[in-house]
Amino acid sequence: AAEVRDLLRGLSARPDELGAGALSSAISTGLVPPNELPGWIASLRAHPKKTPAILLLADAAELSLDPNNQPRIVADLLARVQEGPVPERFAAMQWLSSIGETDPAASLISADEAVANAATLSLWLDLHTQLGKWDPTLAILSRSDLPIPGHLQKLYKGRALKMSGRTDEGDALFEEAYAEASAAEEIEPLAQAIAYLGLAGEDALLERGVREVLSRQDQSVEALRAILPALQRRRDARVVLSVCELAAASPHLADNLTLLNDRDYLRILLDVETDSEAVALRSSANPTQSVQRRGRLLRRHEGKTHAVIEDFVALGPDGRVASAERARVELFAADARDGDAALRKLELGEA
């Protein structure tokens, strides 16, 4: 890593695209130590070949250094892009949305600009929905030139109507949207509808949709891959668990290890009784998967100082960790606060 960083440091002095790319690569790949990062960010912002995307990278890197600077970073970004072209403002809109700056993100694109393409309109609608801005949402959905499918238009409009007090009209549109999505040969429209209804708190329609998806055995896994990550945005683990339970009870998914592991993780998280022995037997001996799973838990977040990882391992007849899982246990223990104690407990210290 040090050799690569030194190489990029040398290239970063160039005033051309190669120099800007070297700076970007070093920052985005995490090669720069935190104590050196401010200097690299300053060089990136001052580079003659900087682009809007490069400046957004600098914003993200600066925010990672000190989250307390978020108000200033956001204000500087808005001043920089508010008169820029739509693609530049859309990229800023996406990033602001990802860091929870919903209000400033929504201000960057007008309704007329939002209808230019499906991605821009979908994000515009999502942001206005999060902000509870139902009047402009209903206004834009009354247009005839919308670039999103009819079932999505009805889903957005149905929610806006319900939140505006027009419950019966909203429920009717939800039913129409569900019927349209269900009639499609492809699974994607139905998965989109189920995910949206779940996020909107329409649990009866969510359950009906999941059951229908599970009845399409050849398409159910694909649909669940779209539905479950979307439902996580609702931040209600019990809802996600209910979907996992329905899916795991389906005979053709009874041996899907990813689904079973997700279900049992949620059971443990919610203190729901689960079969610890079965969990242990399914625990992956694949080091790559283990590192990826641990990485998801260790992602940085404001106010987060550590993560608690409960790892289930299979023991051999002698009471020691099975050899297939030894590498994972030692890898986890190497960086854990209680790693030495865990190794002693499992009698790995002398292994």
Side-chain angles (χ1 to χ4, degrees):
E3 292 82 359
V4 175
R5 184 173 63 248
D6 290 342
L7 174 62
L8 292 174
R9 191 193 308 275
L11 292 173
S12 69
R14 297 176 58 131
D16 54 13
E17 287 84 356
L18 187 59
L23 286 164
S24 300
S25 296
I27 293 173
S28 63
T29 56
L31 289 172
V32 182
N35 63 311
E36 295 182 21
L37 196 52
W40 285 76
I41 293 173
S43 297
L44 189 61
R45 291 192 186 280
H47 199 279
K49 293 296 182 180
K50 60 181 178 288
T51 64
I54 282 176
L55 290 174
L56 269 182
L57 172 62
D59 292 335
E62 188 173 354
L63 182 61
S64 70
L65 272 179
D66 188 355
N68 292 324
N69 284 329
Q70 182 162 321
R72 177 187 59 77
I73 294 170
V74 170
D76 291 346
L77 169 61
L78 292 173
R80 187 175 76 233
V81 305
Q82 61 186 356
E83 300 299 331
V86 171
E88 181 180 349
R89 283 182 280 128
F90 177 65
M93 187 181 183
Q94 288 179 301
W95 185 68
L96 288 170
S97 174
S98 73
I99 62 171
E101 294 286 349
T102 309
D103 211 343
S107 71
L108 286 175
I109 301 288
S110 70
D112 288 337
E113 293 168 331
V115 298
N117 59 68
T120 306
L121 178 58
S122 295
L123 181 55
W124 190 97
L125 287 168
D126 286 340
L127 291 170
H128 282 70
T129 296
Q130 292 174 41
L131 292 168
K133 295 185 176 181
W134 308 118
D135 289 341
T137 298
L138 289 170
I140 199 171
L141 289 168
S142 68
R143 299 175 62 146
S144 60
D145 58 344
L146 301 182
I148 58 175
H151 70 279
L152 287 180
Q153 296 181 36
K154 291 177 180 179
L155 288 169
Y156 281 114
K157 188 173 183 179
R159 187 172 187 185
L161 287 170
K162 291 192 70 169
M163 298 305 295
S164 300
R166 297 158 66 180
T167 304
D168 291 343
E169 294 176 74
D171 284 336
L173 277 180
F174 277 160
E175 289 287 351
E176 288 182 29
Y178 182 91
E180 286 184 17
S182 178
E185 290 186 10
E186 303 83 7
I187 198 65
E188 182 181 0
L190 183 56
Q192 287 177 332
I194 295 169
Y196 187 93
L197 291 165
L199 283 172
E202 300 291 328
D203 291 341
L205 282 171
L206 169 64
E207 181 176 344
R208 189 206 306 180
V210 171
R211 291 187 184 279
E212 179 174 347
V213 159
L214 294 173
S215 71
R216 304 186 186 187
Q217 295 188 15
D218 58 334
Q219 298 176 309
S220 58
V221 173
E222 178 186 352
L224 289 171
R225 285 175 182 158
I227 294 168
L228 288 171
L231 284 180
Q232 291 173 4
R233 291 165 50 198
R234 185 167 161 181
R235 299 187 182 280
D236 188 338
R238 293 191 180 277
V239 172
V240 182
L241 176 59
S242 69
V243 173
C244 289
E245 295 282 14
L246 280 174
S250 186
H252 69 285
L253 293 175
D255 295 324
N256 187 300
L257 295 183
T258 299
L259 175 63
L260 295 176
N261 285 334
D262 288 346
R263 181 201 63 185
D264 288 338
Y265 166 76
L266 289 166
R267 282 180 173 179
I268 294 168
L269 181 69
L270 295 169
D271 199 23
V272 176
E273 184 177 354
T274 191
D275 186 346
S276 298
E277 182 178 353
V279 175
L281 292 174
R282 288 199 307 270
S283 188
S284 173
N286 184 319
T288 301
Q289 291 183 4
S290 299
V291 170
Q292 289 173 341
R293 290 171 182 167
R294 183 177 66 162
R296 295 189 191 105
L297 291 170
L298 294 176
R299 287 174 181 163
R300 293 180 179 179
H301 189 275
E302 183 177 358
K304 178 177 177 180
T305 59
H306 66 285
V308 177
I309 299 176
E310 296 184 2
D311 187 25
F312 293 89
V313 296
L315 300 181
D318 60 356
R320 296 163 69 90
V321 176
S323 59
E325 298 192 310
R326 185 184 304 276
R328 187 186 73 253
V329 174
E330 293 179 333
L331 177 64
F332 276 40
D335 298 318
R337 293 178 177 177
D338 60 347
D340 291 340
L343 291 176
R344 285 195 298 273
K345 183 176 180 181
L346 294 173
E347 298 183 346
L348 281 174
E350 295 77 37

